[in-house]
Amino acid sequence: MFPREIWENSCKGFSVKSLLSDLKKIFDFLKACKAWSKWSEAEVRRTRDSSQRRESPASGRFIYFKFNIINIKSIMGYVNMAIIKEALKDSNSWWGGKFRLEFKERELYKQIQKFLPLPQIIALTGLRRVGKTTLMLKIVEDAIKKGFELKNIIYFSFDEFREVEIRKVMREYEEMMERDFREGKYILLLDELQKLSNWEDQIKRIYDTFK
């Protein structure tokens, strides 16, 4: 169990949306975790040696000290989960029924449309700011017009998530939306994928698993 007051005091006024710009609160929280874990470890040793119970000054009740030492890496894992879920919500406005796109017809998109009904991976490559993201969002717009389930269309950019695995994003989506990629049809649009290490192997593994 972790003392609630540490979280409340360290992250008061904190919101997931401001996570990336509010690192000081995170570091304060982690420092508090580290200090508390050292204290709890010392209490465990002292209690084990004396084989005595200690009275909690906060509650006035007798309790046995049995603490699990805080793992900072696991804490950051929970933080990352929250960030991914928030990014998914922000990037997929059509889940709430609101989506509008300004698009100028391009011959390239007509070629892409031929492959969309097929169960395969489509890669869009090119220089920055040539319209690759816009083409992906056009796929979203057309799918919505055809009646595709809104919440089964997923867009995610790895621009600020270079250390996150693709499957991790998929799991967070499945948990948040209570869905399973093995059931039903989905459109998964992954932007800035080249920024991930071994992204080719990740994509192949996902395709082989869910094709």
Side-chain angles (χ1 to χ4, degrees):
M1 180 175 289
F2 184 72
R4 186 184 183 88
E5 59 269 19
I6 290 183
W7 172 263
E8 292 178 344
N9 292 336
S10 300
C11 296
K12 190 174 183 180
F14 176 81
S15 67
V16 175
K17 288 185 178 180
S18 64
L19 186 60
L20 296 177
S21 62
D22 209 3
L23 292 177
K24 185 177 183 303
K25 289 183 181 293
I26 298 175
F27 290 133
D28 289 344
F29 172 57
L30 294 180
K31 282 163 58 179
C33 291
K34 187 175 182 180
W36 183 78
S37 66
K38 288 182 177 179
W39 173 82
S40 64
E41 186 177 17
E43 288 294 326
V44 169
R45 287 197 300 267
R46 187 170 64 146
T47 305
R48 185 184 299 123
D49 293 341
S50 62
S51 297
Q52 293 178 351
R53 293 183 298 176
R54 175 181 173 85
E55 186 175 0
S56 170
S59 64
R61 298 175 182 173
F62 286 94
I63 59 173
Y64 288 101
F65 278 98
K66 184 178 180 182
F67 297 107
N68 293 322
I69 305 307
I70 296 299
N71 186 318
I72 300 301
K73 188 175 182 179
S74 68
I75 293 173
M76 288 307 299
Y78 285 115
V79 173
N80 285 333
M81 286 192 296
I83 302 175
I84 292 171
K85 288 178 179 177
E86 196 68 22
L88 282 167
K89 292 177 183 177
D90 291 342
S91 302
N92 296 269
S93 59
W94 49 88
W95 291 353
K98 298 179 181 179
F99 179 64
R100 183 178 179 182
L101 176 70
E102 293 184 6
F103 182 79
K104 184 178 180 180
E105 290 298 329
R106 300 170 61 180
E107 183 61 32
L108 177 60
Y109 185 68
K110 294 180 181 179
Q111 297 178 30
I112 294 174
Q113 285 180 303
K114 300 175 184 178
F115 300 97
L116 291 178
L118 305 177
Q120 61 181 345
I121 301 169
I122 301 174
L124 302 180
T125 62
L127 299 175
R128 292 183 62 85
R129 304 189 67 81
V130 296
K132 297 188 298 297
T133 299
T134 302
L135 286 172
M136 297 173 77
L137 294 178
K138 178 59 177 173
I139 293 174
V140 173
E141 183 181 61
D142 285 355
I144 293 174
K145 289 179 180 178
K146 292 177 181 178
F148 202 92
E149 170 59 42
L150 295 179
K151 294 183 179 180
N152 285 15
I153 305 172
I154 308 103
Y155 169 88
F156 190 85
S157 173
F158 289 91
D159 197 24
E160 296 179 344
F161 296 89
R162 305 186 184 195
E163 304 300 323
V164 175
E165 292 188 354
I166 301 170
R167 188 67 185 101
K168 176 67 174 175
V169 174
M170 294 172 65
R171 288 194 187 98
E172 294 306 318
Y173 163 82
E174 287 178 314
E175 180 181 320
M176 180 173 65
M177 307 302 288
E178 298 183 346
R179 277 168 163 73
D180 187 338
F181 276 103
R182 293 177 176 84
E183 300 174 359
K185 293 184 178 181
Y186 295 84
I187 297 176
L188 182 60
L189 303 163
L190 305 174
D191 209 350
E192 300 296 345
L193 194 61
Q194 78 283 355
K195 295 184 178 180
L196 300 183
S197 60
N198 74 314
W199 65 267
E200 301 97 330
D201 293 336
Q202 292 189 54
I203 283 291
K204 182 180 183 304
R205 186 165 59 250
I206 290 169
Y207 179 78
D208 290 342
T209 302
F210 298 96
K211 65 181 177 180

